[in-house]
């Protein structure tokens, strides 16, 4: 006998799972939301928000330390315990907000348990009950990777899920992994007075696809942090932490921050019983437009599918999966958002849309340097490079790679422009207030106009402020 029944069962109460539940219920489907903890979303608990709290503290210390450039003498004293107390106090508010929204759901909808597949439409719960569902949404998220070579030093390892639980800042940290998480946290810790070094077996930072912009980011971060790229470090336990050996060098760090990836969390799901095709890594194969696994009534959304592990994408995918799960077998293909990734280093690094291969003649690229831009100079934030891309045939903007002050704000302009099919001429016809960081993009936009044969707006007013 089956203990529970519903139209749509959602496994995982993170951003994607909550969005899937809302969308399915709006279509009149009965839902059950299954999660072992209901601890809040990754964003609130261990991701976006606590990391930005640490970065904000680092920004504050850096601003005080850098005040001498403005003729203001200052020397910050960082109280690590106070930094972590504030971080956890504010984080708790974010997490509680998510928990409150979950509590607003009818109690009968929430099941505190772990689920595993016993068939394509049947789940077994670890509380002994079984559940039959017409459709299932997998939204189990991801978890930090802990490769076998690091298990010997696990007592001294930090991840993005444990670093924010520290009561005090460590004296020294080796960061393994130069992706977005690794470089964000490394710079924040360094600005707070922690001795930091970054290691990666690859040669890129923050996953930047444009090599010129990526190199600019590397040069700027190298002014603050030791960066060991194309380097494989060996780790071993030490009396006072973790010992790293690389390229004939060796050093002991108090902690090791492991940022080498976040694989999908499928532990205990028994996906082999779900009747769906799995890839070589044991992950479900799915359609990106419908999020459906083959022709089944199983859908996968958010970090669990490893497609675009970002909060706004998780929310959108949850919406798609929830609607299609409620309507299954009649599913719809949804247009996906313009790709948009942002790393909160200083300066920020962002990529939007398509970053083409340098040898692809169907695209045109143009650069806007920020090493002598007026507003950046005013704020003592010089440094950076933006690369913009357009189709050669019609001049429509297709991508942007940016490393510049407030690149996240600049990138939103291109997310909108690309989504609306705008050209460089369209953007140049916008008003640009002076002085702003945005006006620094105009040189690249003019180049794109010239290279794609578009009309350029009257630029005489720019001649009057050239170099400002």
């Amino acid at each position: 006998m089956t203990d529970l029944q519903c139209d749509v069962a959602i496994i995982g109460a993170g951003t994607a799972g909550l969005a899937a539940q809302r969308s399915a219920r709006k279509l009149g489907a009965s839902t059950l939301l299954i999660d072992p903890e209901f601890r809040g979303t990754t964003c609130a608990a261990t991701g976006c928000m606590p990391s930005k709290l640490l970065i904000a503290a680092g920004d504050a210390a850096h601003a005080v330390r850098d005040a001498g450039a403005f003729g203001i003498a200052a020397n910050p004293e960082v109280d690590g315990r106070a930094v972590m107390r504030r971080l956890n106090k504010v984080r708790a508010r974010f997490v509680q907000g998510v928990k409150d929204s979950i509590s607003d759901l009818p109690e009968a909808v929430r099941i505190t348990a772990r689920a595993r597949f016993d068939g394509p439409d049947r789940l077994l719960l670890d509380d002994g009950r079984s559940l039959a569902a017409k459709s299932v949404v997998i939204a189990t998220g991801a978890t930090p990777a802990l490769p076998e070579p690091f298990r010997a030093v696990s007592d001294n390892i930090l991840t993005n899920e444990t670093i924010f639980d520290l009561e005090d800042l460590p004296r020294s940290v080796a960061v393994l992994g130069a992706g977005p998480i690794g470089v964000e946290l490394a710079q924040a810790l360094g600005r707070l007075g922690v001795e930091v070094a970054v290691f990666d077996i690859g040669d890129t930072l923050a996953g930047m696809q444009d090599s010129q912009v990526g190199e600019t980011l590397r040069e700027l971060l190298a002014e603050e942090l030791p960066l060991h790229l194309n380097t494989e470090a060996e780790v071993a336990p030490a009396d006072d932490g973790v010992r790293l050996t690389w390229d004939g060098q060796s050093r002991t760090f108090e902690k090791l921050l492991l940022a080498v990836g976040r694989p999908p969390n499928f532990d205990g799901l028994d996906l082999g019983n779900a009747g769906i095709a799995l890839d070589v890594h044991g992950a479900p194969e799915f359609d990106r437009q419908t999020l459906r696994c083959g022709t089944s009534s199983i859908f996968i959304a958010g970090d669990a599918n490893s497609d675009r592990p970002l909060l706004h994408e998780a929310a959108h995918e949850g919406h798609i999966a929830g609607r299609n799960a409620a309507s299954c077998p009649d599913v719809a293909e949804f247009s996906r958002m313009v790709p948009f990734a942002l790393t909160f280093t200083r300066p920020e690094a962002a990529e939007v849309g398509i970053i083409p291969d340098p040898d692809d003649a169907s695209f045109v690229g143009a650069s806007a340097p920020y090493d002598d831009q007026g507003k950046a100079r005013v704020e003592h934030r010089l440094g950076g490079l933006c690369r913009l891309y357009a189709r050669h045939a019609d001049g429509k903007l297709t991508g942007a790679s940016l490393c510049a002050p407030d690149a996240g704000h600049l990138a939103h302009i291109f997310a909108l422009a690309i989504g609306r099919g705008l050209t460089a001429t369209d953007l140049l016809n916008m008003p640009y207030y002076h002085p702003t960081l945005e006006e620094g993009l105009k040189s690249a936009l003019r180049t794109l106009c010239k290279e794609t044969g578009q009309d350029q707006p009257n630029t005489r007013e720019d001649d009057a402020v050239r170099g400002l």
Side-chain angles (χ1 to χ4, degrees), residues 51-52 55 59 180 183-184 187 342-349 408:
S51 65
K52 303 314 168 284
I55 291 168
D59 287 345
V183 293
E184 281 184 2
Q187 187 180 41
L342 171 61
T343 301
F344 290 85
T345 47
R346 302 294 185 253
E348 292 176 341

Side-chain angles (χ1 to χ4, degrees), residues 378-401:
V378 167
E379 297 179 344
H380 193 58
R381 293 199 291 167
L382 286 174
L385 177 70
C386 297
R387 291 276 297 164
L388 311 183
Y389 293 94
R391 279 202 299 257
H392 198 284
D394 56 16
K396 288 187 177 181
L397 294 160
T398 57
S401 182

Side-chain angles (χ1 to χ4, degrees), residues 205-386:
L205 293 177
M208 300 296 286
Q209 299 175 68
D210 186 291
S211 59
Q212 294 182 48
V213 178
E215 176 61 19
T216 299
L217 176 64
R218 187 198 65 77
E219 291 174 355
L220 292 170
L221 287 186
E223 295 176 4
E224 298 187 42
L225 301 168
L227 301 174
H228 304 282
L229 302 182
N230 293 311
T231 301
E232 186 166 0
E234 297 180 359
V235 299
D239 292 338
D240 49 354
V242 180
R243 189 153 197 84
L244 266 68
T245 303
W246 73 97
D247 296 341
Q249 303 179 60
S250 185
R251 182 182 168 184
T252 297
F253 295 86
E254 182 181 345
K255 296 291 183 182
L256 175 64
L257 174 59
L258 204 55
V260 293
R262 290 176 51 82
N265 187 12
F266 299 137
D267 288 350
L269 272 183
D270 287 353
L271 289 174
N273 295 332
I276 55 177
L278 305 178
D279 64 19
V280 294
H281 303 292
E285 296 180 354
F286 67 99
D287 183 282
R288 292 189 67 254
Q289 310 309 129
T290 65
L291 302 182
R292 188 182 191 181
C293 299
T295 58
S296 73
S297 57
I298 298 172
F299 300 79
I300 184 166
D303 290 3
N305 66 34
S306 296
D307 185 30
R308 297 182 186 176
L310 303 165
L311 178 127
H312 65 279
E313 292 287 357
H316 189 217
E317 289 184 0
H319 167 73
I320 295 171
R323 288 186 63 86
N324 279 337
S327 304
C328 195
D330 298 322
V331 301
E333 292 190 355
F334 284 76
S335 297
R336 299 299 298 271
M337 295 179 178
V338 174
F340 185 174
L342 171 61
T343 301
F344 290 85
T345 47
R346 302 294 185 253
E348 292 176 341
E351 288 191 325
V352 186
I354 299 170
I355 309 301
D357 187 284
D359 298 326
D360 191 338
S362 61
F363 294 91
V364 176
S367 298
Y370 271 74
D371 52 4
D372 192 26
Q373 199 271 334
K375 183 64 181 299
R377 181 174 293 281
V378 167
E379 297 179 344
H380 193 58
R381 293 199 291 167
L382 286 174
L385 177 70
C386 297

Side-chain angles (χ1 to χ4, degrees), residues 106-121:
E107 189 172 345
V109 170
R110 293 175 277 131
I111 298 178
T112 304
R114 295 186 183 275
R116 58 187 176 90
F117 282 93
D118 192 42
D121 57 359

